[in-house]
Amino acid sequence: QQTCEGLTAAYAGWQEENDAQRSLRLGLKNTLIYGTNHYKIRWDRNARDGQGEVALEPVSPYSIYHDPHATTLADCEWIVQGRILSLDRIKRMGQTGEFQEGLPPEEMLREDTPKRPETCYAYEAWLDGGEKTVWATEDKIIAELPNPYAHKSFPYVRLVDIELPDEYEGLSSIEAILSLQREANELR
């Protein structure tokens, strides 16, 4: 019981310090709207004055692509996340081979043409079931790195609102009741 209380207190402190409620709400909202959503769990080495901390990021459903043959995250051979990065950041990654620092969720929204100057759309591809990661732009591979995490799998958690058999994408609660709502609207 002491272990459970200690873990509960540590989790509550982590949630408060990292504004995890905001991330959880955004991710859950997207799950209910789109049927499926992902969180990315990563190590933010810049948090806590350079000591590092676990970061939980909701991933925009418009910026993540998965193996079309997969029905679960464990079945995926690859996952790709697109995001806007500064050209300086891409140059530093190519020179040092460093791992990503991550961006705030509002910068992960997919835009075909970035509105900010000196930026471009970059792809973070997790390949071979999560064994390695490749960073690339539309026309250039920036870095190819082994998975830095001990579990050697994808750093994503998949949430599904309503599971569908043999489908990766789930059904949203909104989609499930849409025809009933349209019928109710017509009766008014």
Side-chain angles (χ1 to χ4, degrees):
Q1 185 173 356
Q2 285 179 333
T3 302
C4 287
E5 289 170 3
L7 289 172
T8 301
Y11 178 70
W14 173 83
Q15 273 190 315
E16 186 176 319
E17 186 174 315
N18 293 288
D19 195 22
Q21 289 296 323
R22 181 182 161 278
S23 294
L24 289 169
R25 275 194 307 272
L26 179 59
L28 290 172
K29 180 181 87 173
N30 283 341
T31 303
L32 292 173
I33 292 170
Y34 301 108
T36 304
N37 195 46
H38 295 82
Y39 285 103
K40 184 172 187 182
I41 302 170
R42 65 177 184 82
W43 185 255
D44 181 359
R45 64 174 170 241
N46 297 319
R48 299 183 68 165
D49 298 323
Q51 293 180 3
E53 179 67 89
V54 172
L56 176 71
E57 299 172 351
V59 177
S60 167
Y62 297 111
S63 70
I64 195 157
Y65 312 92
H66 60 83
D67 178 353
H69 302 289
T71 58
T72 66
L73 194 58
D75 292 348
C76 281
E77 283 296 314
W78 56 268
I79 292 180
V80 177
Q81 182 181 353
R83 60 174 56 169
I84 296 170
L85 292 177
S86 72
L87 297 179
D88 283 345
R89 178 76 185 116
I90 289 173
K91 287 177 192 168
R92 284 196 317 268
M93 287 173 67
Q95 292 167 354
T96 64
E98 67 181 270
F99 199 64
Q100 92 272 8
E101 294 172 4
L103 295 174
E106 57 271 10
E107 291 194 28
M108 286 193 267
L109 296 176
R110 188 171 199 286
E111 296 177 2
D112 289 330
T113 306
K115 294 177 182 170
R116 294 178 297 273
E118 301 298 315
T119 63
C120 77
Y121 204 69
Y123 300 92
E124 173 188 8
W126 292 84
L127 308 173
D128 300 330
E131 288 288 321
K132 67 179 177 180
T133 182
V134 175
W135 280 87
T137 61
E138 292 286 340
D139 58 355
K140 182 181 178 191
I141 292 179
I142 303 164
E144 186 173 330
L145 306 162
N147 187 329
Y149 304 112
H151 56 69
K152 298 296 180 202
S153 60
F154 302 116
Y156 297 98
V157 174
R158 174 178 157 254
L159 278 84
V160 178
D161 186 11
I162 301 170
E163 292 272 352
L164 297 172
D166 301 321
E167 296 281 336
Y168 187 88
E169 303 295 334
L171 182 68
S172 75
S173 294
I174 294 169
E175 191 177 358
I177 64 165
L178 191 58
S179 62
L180 293 173
Q181 183 62 50
R182 283 188 179 138
E183 190 174 316
N185 291 348
E186 289 174 6
L187 294 174
R188 288 185 192 179

